[in-house]
Amino acid sequence: MPSFVPASAETLEDQRLYTSARLTEVSCLDCLAKVGVKKNSDHHTSIQWNEEAVRACPEFTRMTGSPTGRPLHQGCPRMAASIEAAARDGKLPIGAEDGY
């Protein structure tokens, strides 16, 4: 259950800008899982995973099956490489627009 539910139009728009605006779909070059990605700079990348992508990712499946479970902030190195390839190949725009 969320601890904060935005009510004002401005807050809802900020939430949309931070979480879903300008997302580009990127497919993993290994397992074909699809995530939404926004790359504001060479060093800042936002990745929005959905349930289908998490289920399709063998790296997440492997980590989840470990005795301690998947580390919460551990990403998939294969997806990270796929995102970097998409940016390098010009398929993923780099740069914030209006601060987002």
Side-chain angles (χ1 to χ4, degrees):
M1 179 169 173
S3 60
F4 171 74
V5 178
S8 74
E10 294 86 9
T11 304
L12 288 168
E13 179 60 10
D14 283 344
Q15 181 183 44
R16 185 193 70 77
L17 286 170
Y18 284 121
T19 60
S20 61
R22 297 189 318 101
L23 290 178
T24 300
E25 185 175 87
V26 175
S27 295
C28 179
L29 297 173
D30 185 48
C31 71
L32 304 180
K34 296 177 183 176
V35 297
V37 180
K38 178 171 39 174
K39 194 152 183 62
N40 287 340
S41 71
D42 288 332
H43 303 289
H44 179 270
T45 305
S46 294
I47 306 169
Q48 296 294 321
W49 287 80
N50 58 41
E51 288 182 36
E52 182 179 346
V54 170
R55 282 193 305 270
C57 178
E59 187 70 19
F60 279 1
T61 300
R62 183 190 63 73
M63 286 189 275
T64 301
S66 79
T68 56
R70 182 174 76 85
L72 182 60
H73 297 289
Q74 180 75 31
C76 174
R78 295 172 186 175
M79 181 60 79
S82 299
I83 291 167
E84 291 306 313
R88 186 178 53 249
D89 296 344
K91 297 176 183 172
L92 177 62
I94 301 174
E97 294 177 10
D98 298 329
Y100 296 98

